[in-house]
Amino acid sequence: MKPYILKRHLNRVPVFYEIDSPEIPKALFEAECVKPDLTDFPLPLPSKKKDYTCFVKTDDGAEWYGATTGLTRYDANAERIEDKVMYFAADRHLNDNNVQKLLADGNSVWVKTETGVVHMTFVEYSTDEKANVLLQESLDIVDRRGMISQRYLEKARDLSTKYYDNECDNDGGFTAAYAVGEIFHYATLVREKGADDPETLRIKDVATRATEACLLLFYVPGRGDGFFARTYMCADERLPDDGLFFTRKGDTATLRDSGYARHLNASGAECYCGAPIPERLKHLYTDSGYTEDDLIYKADTSSDEVTLQYLLMRYAHEILGPVDPELDEIIKETIKNTTYHFIDHGYQMCDFHGGPTAWAKWNLDYFNSEMGWSDGALNAAEMMFYLKAADLVLGGDEKIKKALEDVYSLGYPELATKHHERFYKASMANDYDLREDMMYGDHMLAVVSFWQLCDLEKEDEYLEKWKKGFRSWRTTIAKEHSPCYDYAYTLATGDEIDMERAANYFYRCPPSRLASGVTINRKDYPMQYRFSGKTKELSSLLPADERFIAKYDRNPMAYCAEDSGGMYCVESCFVYTFAYWTGRYFGLIKGEEE
Amino acid sequence: MKNYTFAVLKADKENLSGSFKKAIAFLEKNENNKLNAFYAGEYKIIKKNEPELFEKVKAFVEAEKLQPLGAWWCESTDEKISLENIARNTLYSQKFFKKNFGKIFRTGYGKKINNPLAVEILFRSKTNCYIEEDVCAKADFYWLDTKNINRILGISTNNLNIKAVDEITSDDETILFDDYVNQFYNNLDDVDAVADIDYSDPAAETEIEKLLLSLETADVVNVIKNGAESKIKEINCAWKNLLCTCPCANKDKAEEIAKELENVEICANEIFETTSETVELVALKKCCKNSDKVVIRIRQTADVSEKIIVKSKLLDACFWVDIEPYETRSFLIDSEGIAVESNIIENIDIA
């Protein structure tokens, strides 16, 4: 397949000023307001025509229209129709939406609104360059002892004010996806620049650090039975009042008091934590001056974590393993321990109380329960993927092979094809339609599981089942037009995807993951209520730079202005980098200059 | 308006032949008697087992004295009925009627319909009026709305003078369902229906799939495409409390509804266009008389997912829409060109 060529693209970089800043040109305040004539405007406009009050033209020929409801840029010569009309609004691009004055400045524009001034500039990046810009931001701001999820800020939009701590419920899963992206990044550079190129070596270190951070989560609980943690904090970090956090002391971990611990009537419960942490991984916390007794890990690990960690272990083994045998040995030991845990505990992950965690159950009891019935297809696929990945990493393992035969005999392959059918029925029963009943984080889990099942399968009969299973998710997944999902889908099934729309994401993704909100009450994207009347969506997917910023676990069409912490949060780069380097590594896309 | 009586007869399943003979006796007893009786499947059994009896029955149907209870193949005993079940029932029935009686019937009769998609199926199979059993409706007539601009007339059995044949007296002026409703529509054939299904076509069964594919949720499409051998027949839609009726509380006279219906006109002068080659404009209507809102419905006719622009100069409306394979989407657009995706169109306010 010939790679889709991604071109260089302009990216918005708003620079915010206080209204009395001396850096603002005086001419802005004296600028005359000329109302634009938009009578025959050919494309959808974000604001009502009557709301536009002023306009200017920049050197590149673009026209800028200021309205009481935001700022619009019109470039009649833009190559792509989605780039012809752009919308700039609060909070991401303006202080507020009441645009009062405009001043052209080369290709950029000064914008005065009611409460502030913004200099709206553009920077041109190739898609590779943007990946690196985003990566660097994550390394500088988001990285927490190798874990990359998100980081809160003390001051709005000010990346220099990050808090020193930041727990995220799915640190392990998100970091694993980020790590896989960087492993593909590394492998791409090896192919294109050579293994000894400084940039290749730098990215190898980045990928290795993230992989180590993920592997550490398997050893922090110290239970020695393959159980692993969602995340961990250190003693001086602020803990949230949710989840199950264990404080380590010597060989004993104690469950801290929390809402959920009380719910389980288990505050103060103790469990063993004396199993050793590999020396190779200890630097992640000892470099910051912590010891094992300072580690507080979060239990109740879910299938989200498992699925992405197994994806990481497969590719870390295949790509980093040959150049880092020590790391590879840890990966093998890790995947063996955890997979044996699943097998020995009846295909579930068991926690300190001896029972399964809330969301790590892959057995028939769960599939036949009211809660697990609609999850069954996904969870059956997940378990088969775990077993196949472990078998691959271990180079063949009799116990795992036998477990695979076991789940096959229990009907897992057939069940894996039933997602749409079961989920549809469950949605109907709950008075929802599919899209509003969907847990959007499940999309990533389904994509990873079926992509990997297809990739690892050698028998045609089963390959067809995995493809059928993957296709049964397309109804909701296709609507996201996520390059990550679509690339995995076409790699697995061979089905055609819309490469143009996938590329849109890379072009329009902002060059910063600062999660500031957007304005969604706009005329060019009608709102709708979904079936139940409880859920709102937009009529079409907004361009990424005009859409709320989130991870992979949200409905991107949601009528939602912001997620995470808005202007007070920087998200991980992995939504871009994981998708991008997957596409680059597997030859689906290529940068213009490569 | 006259106070009509609706003579209704349901079959005794233990003695189907006896039930049909009872119907004939009733119709022969008084030449003015008219009867609404039996479901399509029951007619078929009689045709197969007692052809002579069927010929008599057929003569009464053709003489417009007997009307089947539609649009069901057989009476459903289930409160929750799947969409495919409804589609098969209505289509098999209409196909049978067309083949054997030379016409289809436009008034359905049966359990209440809770689901806008079910209403859409009835509409598209040309059942333009539906008499619902035991529905508590304040009005004599009300709209059963679909998720877009379509709707059919709803009538509750509680608001009709329905009698069993044994209770009919010489004072009762009996009437067939279709004839009754035709008074208000003038002619049911004039009511636009989206799916022009040719029930005389031997391949009409494939229309079931076509019909389901043309419903406005791609999700339904996927059930058909992905899973169909699947258990769709078992999907019992538990869509509760979604009866989209419009009780016309102030003026519930049927004539006024009919008048209003005439005023919901196609705005042929409006020019909408899209940037797609395969998306077609399905319908464009004023929301109702005196309303400045317009409803536009578009449908993707190909197995294509697109982001398109929908545009109308006259209304100054221009907006983006993602449209999936075979999906239909409806938008309500106001005089300022503001579009809102519309699942359920606002009810007609006759007052």
Side-chain angles (χ1 to χ4, degrees), chain B residues 139-143 153-155 180 184 246 248 252-254 257:
Chain B
D140 288 351
F141 301 88
Y142 46 87
W143 293 119
L153 200 61
I155 307 175
Y180 177 70
F184 314 122
C246 170
C248 305
D252 54 4
K253 301 297 182 195
I257 288 185

Side-chain angles (χ1 to χ4, degrees), chain A residues 228 302-312 362 382 385-386 444-446 448-449:
Chain A
F228 71 98
S302 65
S303 61
D304 308 42
E305 306 296 308
V306 182
T307 303
L308 292 163
Q309 294 280 23
Y310 269 66
L311 181 74
L312 169 60
W362 304 274
E382 286 173 349
F385 155 51
Y386 306 156
M444 176 62 107
L445 307 184
V448 167
S449 299

Side-chain angles (χ1 to χ4, degrees), chain A residues 141-191:
Chain A
I141 310 295
V142 183
D143 181 285
R144 189 172 63 92
R145 295 188 296 278
M147 291 183 285
I148 303 270
S149 301
Q150 65 192 41
R151 183 61 71 102
Y152 287 108
L153 306 174
E154 217 168 331
K155 269 180 75 180
R157 296 194 186 103
D158 188 345
L159 273 55
S160 68
T161 63
K162 68 176 182 181
Y163 283 106
Y164 72 99
D165 58 356
N166 202 128
E167 181 263 354
C168 171
D169 192 41
N170 292 102
D171 272 333
F174 296 144
T175 304
Y178 158 82
V180 174
E182 292 314 306
I183 287 171
F184 289 155
H185 185 179
Y186 162 67
T188 305
L189 291 178
V190 169
R191 187 173 65 208

Side-chain angles (χ1 to χ4, degrees), chain A residues 319-340:
Chain A
I319 295 172
L320 296 178
V323 292
D324 191 342
E326 184 190 26
L327 186 73
D328 200 34
E329 282 309 308
I330 298 174
I331 292 169
K332 286 178 182 170
E333 180 192 299
T334 306
I335 205 165
K336 184 177 180 181
N337 288 346
T338 299
T339 310
Y340 278 19

Side-chain angles (χ1 to χ4, degrees), chain A residues 262-282:
Chain A
R262 284 193 295 278
H263 172 72
L264 297 177
N265 198 24
S267 297
E270 293 182 344
C271 65
Y272 176 68
C273 68
I277 295 172
E279 288 300 323
R280 162 79 185 254
L281 307 178
K282 288 184 177 179

Side-chain angles (χ1 to χ4, degrees), chain A residues 42-44 48-50 420-421 428 431 475 479 501 523-529 531 539-541, chain B residues 219 222-223 230-231 235 238-240 242 307 311 316 318-320 322 324 329 336 339-341 343:
Chain A
L43 293 166
K48 291 181 192 173
K49 286 179 183 173
K50 69 176 185 184
H420 195 280
E421 184 182 320
M428 295 297 110
D431 282 354
T475 309
K479 291 175 187 190
R501 288 203 74 174
K523 189 172 172 287
D524 50 348
Y525 285 80
M527 180 275 286
Q528 73 166 136
Y529 284 99
F531 185 78
S539 64
S540 174
L541 195 62
Chain B
D219 305 333
N222 267 283
V223 170
S230 79
K231 312 261 176 127
I235 296 173
W239 289 350
K240 299 181 285 284
L242 282 164
K307 178 168 181 163
K311 187 179 178 187
D316 207 15
C318 188
F319 50 91
W320 292 100
D322 276 353
E324 303 298 327
R329 302 191 71 168
E336 286 194 301
V340 176
E341 171 120 21
N343 288 334

Side-chain angles (χ1 to χ4, degrees), chain A residues 38-45 48-50 81-82 418 420-421 424-425 427-435 468 471-476 478-479 481 498 501 504 523-532 537-543 557, chain B residues 83 115-117 147 217-223 226-227 229-232 234-242 275 305-311 313 315-324 327 329 331 336-344:
Chain A
L38 299 168
T39 311
D40 294 318
F41 194 80
L43 293 166
L45 278 167
K48 291 181 192 173
K49 286 179 183 173
K50 69 176 185 184
I81 190 167
E82 295 86 351
K418 303 282 187 193
H420 195 280
E421 184 182 320
Y424 185 82
K425 288 182 186 178
S427 301
M428 295 297 110
N430 290 324
D431 282 354
Y432 287 114
D433 68 21
L434 282 171
R435 281 159 76 175
K468 185 178 175 188
R471 289 181 181 122
S472 76
W473 283 82
R474 275 307 271 179
T475 309
T476 50
K479 291 175 187 190
H481 295 288
D498 187 339
R501 288 203 74 174
N504 276 351
K523 189 172 172 287
D524 50 348
Y525 285 80
M527 180 275 286
Q528 73 166 136
Y529 284 99
R530 296 300 307 171
F531 185 78
S532 73
E537 279 189 354
L538 289 161
S539 64
S540 174
L541 195 62
L542 287 167
M557 290 183 72
Chain B
L83 295 178
N115 177 344
L117 285 172
K147 285 174 72 181
T217 62
D219 305 333
V220 173
V221 175
N222 267 283
V223 170
N226 286 332
E229 58 283 0
S230 79
K231 312 261 176 127
I232 187 166
E234 292 173 20
I235 296 173
N236 290 323
C237 302
W239 289 350
K240 299 181 285 284
N241 304 320
L242 282 164
T275 48
S305 168
E306 289 182 285
K307 178 168 181 163
I308 63 169
I309 296 173
V310 178
K311 187 179 178 187
K313 276 188 178 176
L315 285 167
D316 207 15
C318 188
F319 50 91
W320 292 100
V321 175
D322 276 353
I323 193 156
E324 303 298 327
E327 189 179 30
R329 302 191 71 168
F331 297 91
E336 286 194 301
I338 307 295
V340 176
E341 171 120 21
S342 177
N343 288 334
I344 298 166

